[in-house]
């Protein structure tokens, strides 16, 4: 039974076991299939990723072509990260290697794009490049690479510009190094090549300036966690400002030193200096933006280009100045001393030689209110474009309708027949006894022609002013030799002033030499010793030549001694010469603020105080020399010698010689009318001429009084009466009130009443009288005391020697 029950019990158990095994197997199969499905899904996902990674190269190429650098770098970095996850796949391992090579190539493309910013900075593209380098974590490396690219761009651009101009003129077997290439530039190609060179270098400096400005905006917005990187970039870029400027100066310096500047014309040389000056202005503005030592760098390094050219420019200027002095002497040899018909508003500002005052001063504000060169030319053009424009034409001469003021007054119709006859009679050296009453003489109003007005300027004076314009140009653009150029300006004016004095005061009498002011006398002496060529004795070594220009000679066509047809004794030429010198002095005074020397202001002040101011003092000696010939004082002195001064009774009628003198002065007034038709005679100049005529008359009175051998007190009263009558009539004739030099005559007459013991002191105090006049006074006053007379004569001789020294 037990076996039966056992058998019956094992049957269900076997069924249950079988069912269990079947269920488990089925479940495991299901799980296995689910697992395989999941593995298949993962595999499909991996295969999709692998397929995406394999297609990355194409997308990267598209992004790099579009210069979408941040997206390209982000995609590439993501792919590299993903590939590191699946590096157990053989295909992925190969793809990872390829992605690494792609990253290297992309960085090279980034570097190439970065290099392009050196010549054409684009803010949008540069921002993408900076973001890309930031994703790579190579911001500092990018800064170092950028500075290297700017250096390379400066060298390559310079070489390409110069090489292009050299190849236009000659064939080169092989490209030489830059210094050798610069020596191959032909003279006719120098300025065009230099212009293209500085324009190309301007593009590089503009790009760097814009790049630094872009970073400065970003530095303000950076967060605290990027301070270290920001400081590194700031230091590098601001140090690069000076480095870029030094590279530019080096290339331009090598280019200029490769050519010979001595063969350039003055226009080419000044254009060359303009380009360098404007380039230096650009460099100074570029380096002045650095906050770390920028100002010090601006002051020291900006002059390197100028300093390297000092000797070349100094040699050129010395040669040019020597030739200009000789040219000035030649012009003075042939100067006719007639007025140049310039406009009444003529000044140095109307000359083309002074146009640099507008183009070389700090750039004027542009339409946007900016005074920065980099802001003005950030979008188009260069700072050098205006320097290449042709200068404006001058407009200084009078137009046809304006010439009416400058009439030809050489015609005899300008004077009436009565005036002509009286001029002829007046110049006859005869002692006339009769005299036409003054009321019947023609007055100035009888002439039909109108007097001239305007400026009195000679052609040579305008030439000097033009040279001053060129010299001032050099002073502004080449400050290292500004002192030498300034001395050249001084010599030009000094030589002109000295020549005018030499030409027109050569016939001044020895007794009239005291009209020279101390300032003018010292100035002329200094000019002769330093400017005019002459020999001096140098101790035992014999003679040596000093000075820098020969003396000029007066043109034979200029008559000063009465040979001219109008008997003006050269007064028109004298007026043109002196007033031209005065005009030059006024123009130099107006230019003083432009001709300053920062390192030698004392020399400038002395020149203006002594030499320029002395031009006005030239009027007295020159005009006196001319006026003294217009008055026949010899015949008048002969008439005065016939007057009996040893009167016993007081007379009420003046002497006849006074009427003769007034008649000559009336004729002198007529000459001034005619002179005013040849040259402008403003009221101030007429006053000067009348003052000199009065000086001649006063000296004649003293000479005539001193020649009196015997004279009583009644005779002295007649002297005073004669002179008083002269003064009254002269006031009406000349318009001078009061008449000058009255004290000169009155004091001499009163000196005859001085006691003998006080006469010595009076002689010492009145050195304006000549030796002959003082001796005559002593002889008449101390005629009874030989001891006193001898003592006073010795005093007079000492004073005469002292004055002569």
């Amino acid at each position: 039974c037990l076996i039966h029950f056992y058998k019956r019990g094992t049957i269900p158990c076997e069924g249950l076991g079988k069912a269990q095994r079947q269920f488990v197997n089925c479940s495991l199969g299901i799980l296995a299939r689910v697992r395989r499905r999941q593995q298949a899904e993962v595999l499909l996902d991996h295969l999709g990723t692998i397929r995406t990674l394999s297609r990355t190269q194409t997308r990267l190429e598209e992004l790099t072509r579009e210069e979408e650098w941040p997206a390209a770098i982000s995609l590439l970095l993501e792919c590299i990260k993903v590939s590191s996850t699946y590096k157990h796949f053989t295909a992925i391992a190969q793809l990872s290697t390829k992605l690494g090579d792609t990253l290297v190539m992309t960085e090279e493309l980034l570097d190439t794009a970065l290099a392009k910013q050196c010549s054409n900075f684009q803010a949008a593209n540069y921002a993408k490049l900076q973001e890309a380098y930031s994703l790579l974590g190579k911001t500092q490396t990018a800064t170092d690479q950028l500075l290297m690219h700017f250096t390379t761009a400066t060298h390559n651009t310079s070489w390409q510009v110069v090489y292009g101009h050299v190849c236009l003129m000659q064939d080169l077997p092989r490209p030489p190094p830059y210094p050798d290439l610069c020596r191959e530039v032909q003279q006719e190609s120098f300025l065009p090549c230099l212009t293209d060179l500085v324009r190309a270098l301007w593009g590089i400096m503009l790009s760097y300036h814009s790049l630094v400005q872009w970073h400065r905006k970003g530095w303000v917005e950076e967060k605290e966690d990027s301070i270290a990187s920001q400081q590194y970039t700031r230091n590098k870029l601001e140090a690069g400002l000076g480095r870029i400027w030094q590279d530019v100066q080096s290339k331009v310096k090598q280019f200029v030193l490769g050519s010979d500047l001595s063969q350039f014309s003055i226009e080419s040389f000044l254009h060359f200096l303009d380009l360098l000056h404007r380039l230096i202005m650009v460099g100074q503005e570029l380096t002045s933006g650095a906050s770390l030592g920028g100002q010090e760098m601006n002051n020291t390094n900006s002059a390197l280009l100028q300093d390297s050219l000092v000797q070349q420019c100094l040699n050129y200027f010395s040669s040019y100045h020597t030739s200009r002095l000789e040219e000035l002497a030649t012009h003075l040899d042939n100067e006719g001393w007639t007025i140049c018909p310039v406009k009444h508003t003529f000044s140095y500002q109307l000359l083309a030689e002074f146009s640099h005052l507008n183009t070389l001063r700090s750039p004027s504000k542009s339409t946007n209110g900016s005074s920065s060169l980099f802001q003005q030319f950030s979008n188009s053009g260069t700072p050098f474009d205006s320097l290449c424009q042709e200068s404006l034409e001058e407009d200084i001469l009078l137009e046809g309708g304006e010439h009416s003021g400058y009439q030809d007054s050489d015609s005899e119709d300008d004077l009436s027949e009565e005036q002509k006859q009286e001029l002829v009679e007046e110049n006859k050296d005869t002692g006339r006894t009769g005299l036409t009453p003054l009321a019947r003489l023609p007055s100035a109003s009888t002439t039909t022609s109108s007097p001239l007005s305007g400026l009195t300027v000679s052609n040579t004076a305008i030439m000097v002013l033009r040279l001053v314009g060129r010299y001032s140009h050099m002073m502004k653009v080449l400050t290292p030799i500004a002192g030498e150029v300034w001395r050249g300006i001084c010599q030009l004016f000094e030589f002109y002033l000295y020549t005018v004095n030499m030409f027109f005061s050569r016939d001044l009498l020895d007794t009239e030499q005291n009209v020279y002011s101390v300032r003018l006398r010292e100035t002329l002496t200094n000019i002769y010793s330093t400017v005019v060529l002459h020999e001096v004795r140098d101790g035992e070594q014999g003679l040596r030549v000093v000075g820098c220009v020969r003396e000029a000679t007066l043109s034979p066509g200029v008559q000063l001694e009465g040979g001219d047809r109008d008997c003006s004794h050269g007064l028109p030429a004298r007026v043109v010469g002196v007033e031209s010198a005065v005009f030059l002095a006024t123009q130099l005074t107006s230019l003083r603020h432009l001709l300053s020397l920062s390192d030698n202001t004392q020399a400038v002040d002395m020149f203006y105080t002594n030499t320029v101011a002395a031009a006005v003092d030239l009027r007295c000696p020159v005009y006196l020399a001319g006026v003294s010939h217009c008055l026949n004082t010899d015949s008048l002195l002969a008439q005065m010698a016939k007057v009996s001064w040893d009167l016993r009774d007081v007379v009420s009628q003046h002497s006849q010689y006074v009427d003769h003198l007034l008649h000559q002065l009336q004729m002198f007034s007529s000459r001034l009318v005619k002179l005013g038709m040849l040259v402008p005679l403003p009221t101030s100049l007429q006053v000067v001429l009348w003052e000199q005529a009065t000086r001649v008359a006063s000296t004649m009175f003293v000479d005539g009084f001193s020649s009196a051998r015997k004279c009583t007190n009644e005779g002295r009263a007649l002297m005073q009466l004669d002179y008083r009558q002269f003064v009254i009539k002269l006031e009406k004739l000349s318009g001078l009130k009061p008449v000058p030099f009255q004290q000169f005559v009155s004091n001499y007459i009163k000196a005859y009443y001085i006691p003998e013991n006080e006469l010595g002191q009076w002689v010492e105090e009145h050195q304006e009288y000549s030796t002959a006049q003082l001796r005559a006074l002593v002889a008449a006053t101390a005629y009874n005391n030989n001891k006193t007379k001898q003592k006073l004569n010795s005093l007079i001789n000492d004073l005469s020697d002292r004055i002569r020294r």
Side-chain angles (χ1 to χ4, degrees), residues 21 34 66 73 152 187 198 218 242 244 311 351 524 711 721:
R21 285 193 299 273
V34 171
E66 297 172 358
I73 295 300
T152 304
Q187 182 175 345
V198 295
I244 295 298
Q311 194 58 46
L351 294 177
L524 295 174
C711 184
L721 175 64

Side-chain angles (χ1 to χ4, degrees), residues 523-536:
T523 297
L524 295 174
T525 302
N526 181 65
I527 294 173
Y528 179 77
S529 61
T530 58
V531 179
V532 181
L533 281 174
H534 64 283
E535 292 182 342
V536 296

Side-chain angles (χ1 to χ4, degrees), residues 221-258:
E221 301 171 359
E222 287 290 337
K223 298 180 180 180
E224 295 294 330
D225 56 356
S226 60
I227 290 180
S229 176
Q230 171 184 329
Q231 190 63 38
Y232 180 86
T233 303
R234 180 195 294 269
N235 294 341
K236 283 288 186 178
L237 291 180
E238 293 192 343
L241 289 169
R243 179 179 173 183
I244 295 298
W245 175 226
Q246 291 303 307
D247 290 342
V248 169
Q249 288 189 96
S250 175
K251 295 304 177 184
V252 176
K253 172 185 172 182
Q254 291 177 354
F255 175 79
V256 173
L257 293 180

